[in-house]
Amino acid sequence: MTRQRIEVGKYLTNIGVLGAAAGVVSTARRTNSMPRDWRRFIVWGVWIAGLILAIAGVAMQDRDAEFADE
């Protein structure tokens, strides 16, 4: 397997990544009015997990395309 160059542009223009990143605004608003307890960490953890999944989905697109070509 060869190492591929990471292209930042494909992450910055992907609608899934943009949507997940934009979710930080609503997450911040939601947690601002919440009591300061463990539930706040759960909300932020869910947002982080969504962002990671969106980024991983973009990263796997090239592998999916290679697999489909075989």
Side-chain angles (χ1 to χ4, degrees):
M1 180 171 14
T2 62
R3 291 196 103 189
Q4 295 181 352
R5 202 176 78 198
I6 297 175
E7 299 172 5
V8 177
K10 69 180 180 180
Y11 295 98
L12 295 178
T13 58
N14 184 280
I15 194 72
V17 174
L18 290 175
V24 73
V25 175
S26 66
T27 302
R29 286 182 185 161
R30 184 180 315 135
T31 57
N32 193 26
S33 63
M34 291 177 69
R36 295 187 183 271
D37 62 359
W38 60 271
R39 292 174 285 189
R40 179 181 286 221
F41 296 112
I42 298 296
V43 172
W44 278 108
V46 168
W47 174 76
I48 290 170
L51 182 62
I52 289 171
L53 286 172
I55 292 170
V58 174
M60 297 299 289
Q61 283 178 348
D62 292 338
R63 290 185 185 173
D64 291 342
E66 290 175 7
F67 181 75
D69 290 340
E70 289 180 3

